[in-house]
Structure formats: C-alpha cells, structure tokens
Amino acid sequence: MLTPVADDMRRVDEVIGRRLESDVPLVREVAQYIVVSGGKRLRPAVLLLAAGAAGYRREKGAAVLHDLAAVLEFIHTATLLHDDVVDESRLRRGRNTANAAFGNAAAVLVGDFLYSRAFQMMVEVADMRVMSVLAEATNTIAAGEVMQLMGSHDPEVDETRYLEVIRRKTAKLFEAAARLGGVIARSGDEERLAVYGMHVGTAFQLIDDVLDYSGNEATIGKSLGDDLAEGKPTLPLIRVLRTGTPEQAAVVRRAIVDGGREDFAAVLGAIRACGALDYARAAAQREADAASKALAPLPASEFKRSLLELASFSVTRSS
C-alpha cells in the first residue's frame, strides 16, 4: 500500500530522528520512546501519497515533503502523549505508555516540546498557507479533545455529537495531511483531498472503537475495554442505548456513568445482541466509500491507487 512512498518514508524517519535532538536528556529520551515505538506513520504517508496523487514533482524539493510529514507525526505524537495522561492509559502499541514509563509531568511537557518543535519546522517551510492549515488543525484537535472530555461518563451523547468529536479530534489531522498534499502540489486538488482525509480519518476512528470491543489485545496493542473503563460513549454503546432492550440499555448506561471494566462482559453481550459492531463497521464503510468517491476526479496513478487501498484498509484492519 505504501510502496510508492517507501523511500520518502525512510527520509521522513531520518528527519524525525534528527529533529528529536535536544540538549535536555529527558526530552530526547521520552520523545524517542514514543515516536519510535512502532506507529503506522499513516498521517505522514497520507501527505506523501496525496502530494503524489496531486502531481507534485519531487524535483521541486522533496525535503519540504519530508519536513512536513515529520511535522504531522510530531503533532500526532504530542496528542497521544496528552491523551494518555488524560485517559490514565497504561498501554499503547503493546508497550507501557510514556506516562506509565516516565510519569505524567514528563509526558505532558515532552508533548509540549513536540508541538513547539513542529511549529518551528513549519515556520522553516516559510509558506503561510501551510502554517494556516496546520495551525487551524491543531486548534481544532485541541477543541475536540475538550469536547471528548465533556462527553465522558455522559450516556446522553448521541451519534451526531460523537461524530463531531471524531471529526475534530481524529479526522482533522488526516484531513490536514491530505490537504497539504494538494497545497504543496499547487494543483487545485486541495479540497477534494481534504474531503478524502476527513472521511478516512473518521473511518479509522470508527474501527478503533469497534476493535475496543472485538480486537485481540496483542494485535491492537492496548487493553480491551479501555474506552469503557474511561466512560467513553462510543458508537457501539450509543447504538445499544438507542436500539437495545431496556435491560441492555440500563447495563450500558450504568457502565458509561460509572466507568471501569466490571460490566465489560455484560456490555459486550448487549453490543453483540444489538448488532452494534456491525452497525459501526457499516458506518466506517460509508466513510471509506465517501473518501474513495472524493478522489474520483484525480487522474490514475500509483499514488491514487494507494490512497484508495488505504481507504479500504481503514475498514478491514485488525490493529
């Protein structure tokens, strides 16, 4: 899927390693711990593929592509560091979270370092449109994180509000990555690529929420039921509240309000009985289909083909 940008991705990793350097040892240690811990690098890949699909010619300066891809990974990593502190998460990608390994204070402050390093790098690119896209994206993501916090332990969160959180918190950086591909290609494809990124990012989060009740812990790299433990009303739970029996809805409502994993088995039974996982998967498939449709006007290329494969992967993945 990422073969067309494999060489570029290696260059991005080189940039990431170089720009993580700091004269403060703990900054370097924590940043490297989380950045090199086996993430998929999907947001950098989306940028590279989108630029290629929009006709960007590498001779214009591939270094700009690599720097912006690294910026996206730094922003994403900063959000993970902060999220894990807020959620009190202990496991990510099969390893202890940075807050579990180094403490909350170090995780938050190194997240701040990554944000500021990302903004240093985007200023170096010296393109006001690029800075505008990334500044708007980071602000939207922060607002989405607050919206999610406000919805924790709230069984009244409906599907519309749930999707709004996803669009802001998760999909926005995918959207920015794809949009930037169009921006630097100067091809007029910015908006359709942004639509693609928004829908792909939404599909990814929907499937993440499915995997929290159906995945294999060794594969997904985190504990099953984390969302339930944090009182997050994700789509499978919202579906049960809307369509389940009064007894099923009561179990889910209590689990959301109280948090914890004590009712995990009963909640999982209600989710399965209501077909809530299939419902969420179908919603993810609609998002993936909308993403693919947005690319229809782009000319055929290996980059476009990979973007289409990524849309399909967003729904079929198991981790």
Side-chain angles (χ1 to χ4, degrees), residues 22 44 50 55 95 131 134-136 144 174 185 197 224-225 267 271 281:
S22 169
R95 307 173 71 198
M131 288 190 280
L134 288 168
E136 195 265 339
F174 279 93
L224 290 183
V267 169
I271 286 173
R281 287 191 185 96

Side-chain angles (χ1 to χ4, degrees), residues 2-306:
L2 302 183
T3 298
V5 293
D7 289 339
D8 287 310
M9 292 295 285
R10 283 190 284 272
R11 299 290 183 274
V12 172
D13 280 342
E14 291 171 2
V15 173
I16 289 171
R18 187 169 66 250
R19 299 308 295 262
L20 281 179
E21 284 301 315
S22 169
D23 60 356
V24 180
L26 183 60
V27 168
R28 186 168 58 250
E29 185 179 3
V30 177
Q32 288 180 341
Y33 179 87
I34 185 69
V35 170
V36 304
S37 64
K40 300 182 184 72
R41 301 279 200 270
L42 287 177
R43 293 146 192 85
V46 167
L47 166 61
L48 297 169
L49 290 170
Y56 184 79
R57 296 191 301 277
R58 294 302 195 272
E59 58 268 23
K60 288 183 178 180
V64 172
L65 272 179
H66 304 151
D67 285 350
L68 288 178
V71 165
L72 289 167
E73 189 65 16
F74 284 164
I75 292 172
H76 174 55
T77 303
T79 66
L80 296 185
L81 284 164
H82 290 166
D83 277 356
D84 285 343
V85 170
V86 171
D87 296 339
E88 300 180 6
S89 299
R90 313 303 293 176
L91 193 68
R92 181 179 290 278
R93 297 168 182 167
R95 307 173 71 198
N96 286 336
T97 55
N99 50 298
F102 300 96
N104 286 342
V108 169
L109 294 173
V110 173
D112 292 344
F113 169 83
L114 290 175
Y115 266 131
S116 59
R117 178 52 50 86
F119 275 82
Q120 283 180 319
M121 293 172 66
M122 73 176 75
V123 168
E124 291 167 9
V125 173
D127 185 317
M128 281 301 298
R129 181 59 184 148
V130 167
M131 288 190 280
S132 175
V133 169
L134 288 168
E136 195 265 339
T138 53
N139 186 258
T140 299
I141 292 166
E145 290 170 342
V146 175
M147 283 184 67
Q148 184 178 67
L149 181 64
M150 292 170 60
S152 294
H153 303 287
D154 183 1
E156 302 307 317
V157 171
D158 60 13
E159 191 167 335
T160 299
R161 185 173 162 198
Y162 162 81
L163 288 172
E164 178 65 16
V165 171
I166 287 179
R167 303 282 195 216
R168 290 172 179 250
K169 184 176 181 290
T170 303
K172 190 63 181 181
L173 199 55
F174 279 93
E175 177 187 327
R179 183 185 291 278
L180 286 176
V183 168
I184 64 176
R186 308 283 194 260
S187 65
D189 296 310
E190 178 184 332
E191 289 304 324
R192 61 178 58 99
L193 286 167
V195 170
Y196 166 87
M198 183 268 290
H199 286 297
V200 162
T202 303
F204 262 92
Q205 186 59 57
L206 284 163
I207 294 301
D208 266 358
D209 293 345
V210 167
L211 292 175
D212 198 57
Y213 294 98
S214 64
N216 178 285
E217 290 189 4
T219 302
I220 65 175
K222 66 173 188 175
S223 302
L224 290 183
D226 274 358
D227 290 344
L228 189 68
E230 295 154 16
K232 291 181 180 177
T234 56
L235 189 55
L237 302 184
I238 293 169
R239 181 64 176 173
V240 175
L241 289 172
R242 194 171 75 183
T243 66
T245 66
E247 293 78 12
Q248 291 165 341
V251 166
V252 168
R253 179 178 292 272
R254 182 174 63 250
I256 291 173
V257 171
D258 295 343
R261 292 188 176 84
E262 292 78 9
D263 293 325
F264 184 76
V267 169
L268 186 58
I271 286 173
R272 289 173 173 166
C274 294
L277 295 181
D278 288 339
Y279 180 83
R281 287 191 185 96
Q285 185 62 60
R286 289 193 297 273
E287 296 290 336
D289 291 344
S292 297
K293 184 178 179 181
L295 298 182
L298 271 64
S301 70
E302 59 179 348
F303 302 103
K304 178 181 176 179
R305 183 171 62 250
S306 288

